[in-house]
Amino acid sequence: MEAVFQQKLIEVANHVEQQLDTELEKLDNLDISDYEKIRANRLNELKQMQKQKQNWLASGHGEYLEIYDEKEFFEVSKKSENIVCLFYKDDSQRCKIVDHHFKILAKKHIEARFCKLNVERCPFLTERLRIRIIPTIALIVNGKTKDYIVGFTELGNCDDFSTTTLQCRLAQSGVINYDDDLHSSEMSKKSLILKPSKPKTIKGRDSDDSDDD
């Protein structure tokens, strides 16, 4: 049995070595024009990334701001592909804890729009998204609520969770870009016992509810 295992190990090692040799051979065969083409493509990618960042910043990304009414919320959802929105009440201490973390994450993850909305000022939207517990964080991707973070249960069920913990949970839903194998693994384990949220399209008052249950 051990001999078979060693043979398999040798075969895998040989296969990896062959792949490396192939890649090295490709690099050896590159001429000046190939290098210039690679450099030009990379510069173009960097320019596109910079342009995207400028568009995000122009749309209010990079700051944690309050949305004051439902009309403004619908306008924001049309401009931003990824939205992280806290539904809050003024008298909620836990909402203030989320405020602290969002102020940090908004500057770090400009690929998403971080905002908050007072449920008492926006009863239609609160009911539309079935917000029942405060705080609730709605994670919106391409105009649909992809996921919710309800209370602090998924964040360790405590008030002193870290910004990194919240960051990993947001990344789990794809609303921000973040890669941390250790934390992602832990969050994945927790997600196995959680019921996934059904996506809900963000619509105005005059839209029908065809995506509801």
Side-chain angles (χ1 to χ4, degrees):
M1 186 68 180
E2 184 177 351
V4 174
F5 175 76
Q6 290 180 347
Q7 181 61 34
K8 290 292 184 181
L9 191 61
I10 292 173
E11 290 176 1
V12 171
N14 288 336
H15 179 67
V16 172
E17 186 177 357
Q18 289 175 2
Q19 288 182 319
L20 288 173
D21 288 341
T22 300
E23 293 300 320
L24 288 172
E25 185 177 353
K26 289 180 181 179
L27 290 174
D28 289 338
N29 292 330
L30 290 177
D31 56 27
I32 294 177
S33 63
D34 292 323
Y35 283 112
E36 290 178 347
K37 186 180 296 185
I38 292 173
R39 181 174 179 275
N41 289 338
R42 181 55 180 162
L43 286 174
N44 185 57
E45 289 176 2
L46 292 173
K47 288 180 181 178
Q48 292 297 323
M49 289 173 60
Q50 185 61 31
K51 183 178 180 180
Q52 179 65 77
K53 287 182 179 180
Q54 291 174 349
N55 290 337
W56 281 332
L57 293 173
S59 298
H61 293 224
E63 296 182 83
Y64 175 44
L65 301 173
E66 180 160 5
I67 294 176
Y68 290 98
D69 56 44
E70 291 157 344
K71 180 181 178 181
E72 183 182 359
F73 180 85
F74 294 128
E75 291 174 352
V76 167
S77 66
K78 292 177 182 177
K79 294 179 181 178
S80 297
E81 180 179 341
N82 299 311
I83 300 173
V84 181
C85 184
L86 168 66
F87 285 78
Y88 81 98
K89 284 185 177 180
D90 288 324
D91 59 356
S92 170
Q93 184 59 37
R94 282 195 158 187
C95 289
K96 292 179 174 60
I97 294 173
V98 178
D99 283 340
H100 166 73
H101 294 296
F102 273 15
K103 288 176 183 177
I104 297 171
L105 293 175
K107 296 181 182 299
K108 187 174 182 180
H109 292 281
I110 64 171
E111 70 273 16
R113 176 75 183 268
F114 284 79
C115 55
K116 64 179 180 178
L117 187 149
N118 190 311
V119 296
E120 295 174 338
R121 283 202 296 266
C122 302
F124 165 75
L125 187 60
T126 300
E127 179 62 29
R128 166 69 185 164
L129 298 183
R130 298 173 184 171
I131 306 298
R132 299 288 184 266
I133 296 175
I134 300 300
T136 288
I137 301 170
L139 309 179
I140 302 163
V141 178
N142 292 323
K144 291 182 178 292
T145 50
K146 186 174 182 180
D147 202 355
Y148 295 95
I149 303 175
V150 181
F152 288 175
T153 303
E154 298 179 59
L155 303 173
N157 205 24
C158 60
D159 290 356
D160 60 349
F161 62 87
S162 67
T163 302
T164 300
T165 297
L166 178 55
Q167 183 175 224
C168 291
R169 177 60 183 85
L170 296 176
Q172 183 183 335
S173 294
V175 74
I176 64 170
N177 301 323
Y178 181 67
D179 185 17
D180 184 299
D181 292 338
L182 178 61
H183 286 88
S184 296
S185 175
E186 290 300 316
M187 296 305 296
S188 296
K189 291 177 183 177
K190 293 178 182 179
S191 68
L192 293 176
I193 62 173
L194 299 173
K195 182 179 180 181
S197 302
K198 179 182 177 182
K200 184 177 290 295
T201 303
I202 304 299
K203 300 177 181 177
R205 294 175 183 272
D206 298 330
S207 301
D208 60 33
D209 291 345
S210 59
D211 61 323
D212 285 349
D213 294 333

